[in-house]
Amino acid sequence: MYNAVICRYHEIAIKGNNRREFERQLIGNMHSMMRGKVECRIRQIRGRIWIEPAAGAAFFTAAEQQTLAGILSRCFGLESFSPARLVPPDMEEIKAAAAEVARPVFAAAQAEKTRVSFRIRARRSDKEFPFRSRDIEIALAEVVAKSVDADRLDVDLDDPDLSLGCEVREEFAALFLETFRGPGGLPVGCNGKVLVLLSGGIDSPVCAYRMMKRGCAVDFLTFHSSPYTPPESEEKVRELAACLNRYQFPGTLHLCNLAPLQKQIRDLCTERDRTVLYRRAMLRIAEKIATQCGAGALATGEAVGQVASQTLRNLATINAAVRILILRPLCGSDKSELIRMAEEIGTYPISIRKAPDSCTVFAPASPATSVPESVATAEEAKIPDYDRLLDEITAAAVTCRP
Ligand code: ATP
Ligand code: MG
């Protein structure tokens, strides 16, 4: 019944000069997310993007509509979208299509309820169109009422059971019954790339999602401690990255074995300071990998005060290990908010699977909550081949496309 999906965007519509670039990125992302999944054409005119079936097909199948809805609900930059019937901008064509689109849905509602309420919402962006929005609404209300049992139909402008939308543009008129929410934000890629430090926990996947939502393409970096951590730990992170990649053109996962350095830290440094020392080493390696993969910043799932390594003092000491920009989009969030977010984006069930983490395997019994930078530097000086180890671990990193 539908021969298009109308897509609306918001934030990018107000971005003045950058607008064209954002639209180009958004459409490119839509193409790459749909490739191999739905055959379609994506078109764009001033402030609207719409999707049509591939040449030769008149309508989308129900399965194609479902696939499209799944993809569009994960496509950053989109505010909302509606499966729609497109017709030429001619009043008689619009009326005929309105009756056709409304009839089955209105009739089904009337089969369930004695009285059904509805409204028509018309918008005319083509000011040359000879009917005003109000006239279109009245005309369509009439044809819709005629197409079903008019005696059991009420108009309700505030909270109707059914709502038929009509948008008249120069190029086409669109009729639609439903509007679905998109994820909002900015098209992935329009703000460069960040390297997200991805553990198997709950927070760092949410961090990756937030960065993508702000238009950053994300590559992932995870540290394991093989053979002290099992292959399941790496597999879990791979699954998290795959789940997150559904929201972008798939990013690369970099896997690093931190164990050689962790053993040195364990054997040579003060036990209570270990966690901060592991984190500083992670950031140093991350900075090198960011340079290699063209990421302009690192991002972590740290939140102030959540654990010992995330006190202000320790965050400052960890931060001071590198010069690259570090983004912490969750720094002001509560754990309960992050859990809710993880559930929404689909990473939560993977995150809660039990698997040992690289840091916890070598964790001290009671980590220090305040390690001054001077102490960390002095501890690191106890490891004779510290820099060489960092380089070796970085060089041994393995990459995959989850
Ligand atoms: P998460 O749910 O992200 O694991 P957490 O509350 O368990 O968060 P920590 O384990 O202290 O927090 O880690 C803080 C941040 O450090 C993580 O969000 C992640 O960005 C990074 N991190 C921790 N462990 C690893 C790891 N093994 N590999 C990559 N990054 C890590
Ligand atoms: Mg963790």
Side-chain angles (χ1 to χ4, degrees):
M1 155 160 102
Y2 293 119
N3 59 359
V5 181
I6 300 283
C7 302
R8 306 175 189 89
Y9 45 99
H10 176 61
E11 188 162 359
I12 63 177
I14 54 172
K15 285 267 175 174
N17 291 340
N18 292 337
R19 177 165 161 183
R20 241 174 246 286
E21 173 54 21
F22 288 143
E23 286 171 340
R24 198 193 55 76
Q25 185 79 51
L26 177 56
I27 291 171
N29 291 353
M30 290 166 80
H31 272 296
S32 76
M33 290 169 91
M34 285 167 195
R35 194 163 301 132
K37 301 199 174 87
V38 194
E39 291 278 326
C40 58
R41 286 176 298 173
I42 302 174
R43 317 198 357 166
Q44 185 234 340
I45 284 180
R46 285 165 284 114
R48 277 286 177 281
I49 293 172
W50 73 100
I51 306 169
E52 291 178 336
F59 296 100
F60 284 118
T61 65
E64 283 172 333
Q65 270 182 52
Q66 206 172 353
T67 309
L68 275 173
I71 292 170
L72 297 175
S73 67
R74 296 191 300 271
C75 186
F76 290 112
L78 289 183
E79 285 301 312
S80 71
F81 57 93
S82 299
R85 172 71 72 89
L86 291 198
V87 292
D90 166 89
M91 197 55 175
E92 289 314 307
E93 298 248 22
I94 295 171
K95 279 163 51 178
E100 221 178 290
V101 166
R103 191 185 301 116
V105 177
F106 279 52
Q110 287 191 328
E112 302 235 316
K113 269 173 91 172
T114 31
R115 302 203 68 83
V116 168
S117 61
F118 82 112
R119 85 175 156 209
I120 312 279
R121 275 274 173 83
R123 268 190 60 192
R124 176 186 65 149
S125 63
D126 172 14
K127 299 301 172 203
E128 306 279 291
F129 191 69
F131 300 87
R132 289 173 310 165
S133 302
R134 185 89 192 98
D135 305 330
I136 302 170
E137 286 171 357
I138 292 167
L140 296 191
E142 259 173 40
V143 296
V144 167
K146 265 193 215 147
S147 75
V148 288
D149 181 352
D151 294 336
R152 293 198 290 123
L153 209 54
D154 303 308
V155 172
D156 179 348
L157 298 181
D158 299 319
D159 184 25
D161 298 320
L162 294 165
S163 177
L164 176 69
C166 175
E167 192 179 319
V168 183
R169 305 180 64 91
E170 270 168 57
E171 308 77 22
F172 59 75
L175 293 144
F176 51 90
L177 289 165
E178 289 177 295
T179 295
F180 299 97
R181 269 183 52 202
L186 301 168
V188 173
C190 72
N191 279 325
K193 190 195 269 189
V194 300
L195 181 64
V196 170
L197 277 76
L198 189 65
S199 68
I202 292 165
D203 305 339
S204 46
V206 177
C207 159
Y209 179 88
R210 291 260 172 94
M211 295 318 305
M212 291 190 278
K213 184 165 181 173
R214 294 314 299 164
C216 297
V218 166
D219 262 11
F220 309 93
L221 169 61
T222 193
F223 293 95
H224 59 86
S225 312
S226 184
Y228 306 95
T229 50
E232 291 90 271
S233 302
E234 286 158 63
E235 179 49 32
K236 185 179 167 188
V237 175
R238 211 183 295 256
E239 279 180 45
L240 284 170
C243 180
L244 291 160
N245 268 343
R246 297 177 310 145
Y247 295 90
Q248 66 169 357
F249 179 79
T252 301
L253 171 63
H254 306 259
L255 298 111
C256 272
N257 190 348
L258 197 63
L261 190 55
Q262 284 174 311
K263 281 195 284 186
Q264 293 282 301
I265 293 172
R266 180 195 59 193
D267 296 342
L268 301 172
C269 303
T270 307
E271 177 174 351
R272 281 167 54 78
D273 299 336
R274 274 187 212 159
T275 306
V276 167
L277 301 177
Y278 298 152
R279 287 295 148 84
R280 280 165 62 91
M282 281 184 180
L283 286 189
R284 289 186 169 117
I285 294 165
E287 186 175 44
K288 292 176 197 284
I289 290 180
T291 308
Q292 288 169 10
C293 72
L298 305 178
T300 75
E302 288 159 321
V304 173
Q306 204 187 65
V307 287
S309 60
Q310 293 167 26
T311 59
L312 279 190
R313 187 57 173 274
N314 282 348
L315 281 173
T317 299
I318 292 166
N319 213 67
V322 289
R323 296 202 54 189
I324 189 172
L325 172 66
I326 304 174
L327 301 169
R328 296 184 174 86
L330 315 183
C331 71
S333 301
D334 288 348
K335 195 77 188 183
S336 55
E337 294 169 50
L338 298 175
I339 289 174
R340 212 175 321 122
M341 195 78 209
E343 282 171 337
E344 249 172 62
I345 65 181
T347 52
Y348 186 73
I350 310 171
S351 290
I352 56 172
R353 259 168 31 205
K354 291 255 176 301
D357 184 79
S358 166
C359 272
T360 41
V361 169
F362 286 91
S366 139
T369 52
S370 176
V371 182
E373 192 190 350
S374 55
V375 171
T377 314
E379 288 292 323
E380 284 157 0
K382 295 180 185 170
I383 302 168
D385 40 6
Y386 187 88
D387 288 332
R388 185 177 57 77
L389 271 173
L390 286 185
D391 285 337
E392 283 175 8
I393 291 171
T394 310
V398 172
T399 61
C400 69
R401 191 52 75 81

